Amino acid sequence: MALPLYATPAEKAWHYGFRILCGLIFFFLIAPLLVIVPLSFNAEPYFTFTPGMLALEAEAFSLRWYEDIVANDQWLHSIRNSFTIGIAATLLATTLGTLAALGLTSPAMPYRRAIMALLISPMIVPIIITATGMYFFYSWAGLAQTHLGIILAHTALGIPFVVITVTATLSGYDQTLTRAALSLGAPPHVAFFKVTMPIILPGIVSGGLFAFVTSFDEVVVVLFMAGFEERTIPRQMWAGIREQISPTILAVATALVLVSIALLTAVEMLRRRGERLRQGR
């Protein structure tokens, strides 16, 4: 927004100072992510900028670390595990979280605040405490160091995001639409899938995307519960930093940043679509 012509020197100083401060904060947040991108193309096995990179010499840049991802069985195994566990946990978390949100928004639901607090507690409790409890419980149940155990653990971590997102979507939903469908003879399940579901679908998908990202990036629970066969990408990156110190980690990190940007873009598009549906446009 442009400054008015009658702005005082103090107002001009605040106007431009505030924008410079916002720019510095934005740079502080985004700089660590931007640094890894050029370093992932380093031709040398270093985590620093070489003189050739600073001089923008073509020989200083290479795709060797990206090629190492597809040539390394451990990385491929971790990628398969991350997608398998992430997709399964997302489907479970989305289904259970949506059902919980529908129940929590019902006026007949007793103790809604207490149940809501219980459901979102995995977001509040420090992850190390949650991981410790999960480790002892799943070890007792014989699910530690199994894919099923990690899927269930990531489902518990993803459900709060689905509950919050779908509950927020349902708060703007006009319940008279469902009552109108029921009054016209539609069974409850038909009214839900034909009337309610299409309107709240952007919220459900957004919650599912958050649950997927939560599972895809999670490392603490995996450190406690996963064996070698259950290694995910973050667990493999952790092992790479401690054992190998290979710039392949930077190439994987760059790919994860691109995946995160794509998912956040999808969430934003779904949010705008949800707003248009609620406004009847």
Side-chain angles (χ1 to χ4, degrees):
M1 185 175 65
L3 272 173
L5 296 176
Y6 51 82
T8 63
E11 289 174 335
K12 291 180 179 177
W14 166 252
H15 177 82
Y16 292 111
F18 180 72
R19 279 154 180 75
I20 292 173
L21 178 62
C22 292
L24 290 174
I25 294 174
F26 180 76
F27 178 77
F28 174 76
L29 293 174
I30 204 72
L33 297 179
L34 295 180
V35 167
I36 64 171
V37 176
L39 285 177
S40 68
F41 294 98
N42 193 348
E44 302 296 331
Y46 305 131
F47 283 78
T48 56
F49 290 98
T50 60
M53 294 184 74
L54 295 176
L56 299 180
E57 297 174 359
E59 299 77 16
F61 296 88
S62 170
L63 294 173
R64 59 180 292 192
W65 309 117
Y66 290 90
E67 295 170 353
D68 187 48
I69 296 175
V70 296
N72 189 311
D73 291 336
Q74 290 187 9
W75 281 111
L76 293 178
H77 183 72
S78 301
I79 292 171
R80 281 195 298 270
N81 276 339
S82 282
F83 277 100
T84 302
I85 293 171
I87 291 172
T90 299
L91 292 176
L92 277 174
T94 304
T95 303
L96 297 176
T98 301
L99 292 174
L102 289 170
L104 288 169
T105 53
S106 171
M109 183 73 183
Y111 309 112
R112 276 186 290 178
R113 291 187 178 181
I115 296 174
M116 184 71 172
L118 183 64
L119 286 173
I120 66 173
S121 60
M123 294 178 63
I124 302 169
V125 178
I127 186 64
I128 188 68
I129 297 175
T130 304
T132 305
M134 285 179 171
Y135 171 73
F136 285 111
F137 177 75
Y138 286 115
S139 296
W140 172 80
L143 294 173
Q145 297 192 355
T146 65
H147 285 87
L148 178 60
I150 299 175
I151 288 171
L152 294 176
H154 282 187
T155 299
L157 296 178
I159 282 177
F161 295 95
V162 181
V163 170
I164 291 175
T165 307
V166 179
T167 301
T169 305
L170 284 170
S171 64
Y173 173 67
D174 188 357
Q175 295 292 341
T176 57
L177 297 173
T178 302
R179 288 196 289 271
L182 295 174
S183 67
L184 293 173
H189 68 281
V190 174
F192 173 76
F193 285 108
K194 295 291 185 182
V195 178
T196 308
M197 186 78 169
I199 296 177
I200 68 171
L201 187 60
I204 295 174
V205 177
S206 297
L209 290 176
F210 280 121
F212 179 77
V213 172
T214 301
S215 171
F216 207 71
D217 291 342
E218 203 286 323
V219 66
V220 180
V221 171
V222 176
L223 280 173
F224 273 80
M225 295 184 54
F228 180 81
E229 292 299 323
E230 294 80 31
R231 278 192 176 189
T232 58
I233 294 175
R235 178 67 179 85
Q236 182 63 29
M237 293 176 73
W238 175 263
I241 291 173
R242 291 174 59 87
E243 301 167 4
Q244 300 170 355
I245 317 294
S246 169
T248 306
I249 298 169
L250 299 176
V252 176
T254 302
L256 290 179
V257 169
L258 295 177
V259 170
S260 299
I261 291 174
L263 291 176
L264 289 174
T265 304
V267 169
E268 177 62 19
M269 293 175 66
L270 289 168
R271 186 189 66 79
R272 294 184 180 184
R273 183 175 184 274
E275 286 184 356
R276 288 198 300 270
L277 287 174
R278 282 196 295 274
Q279 295 172 2
R281 290 187 293 171

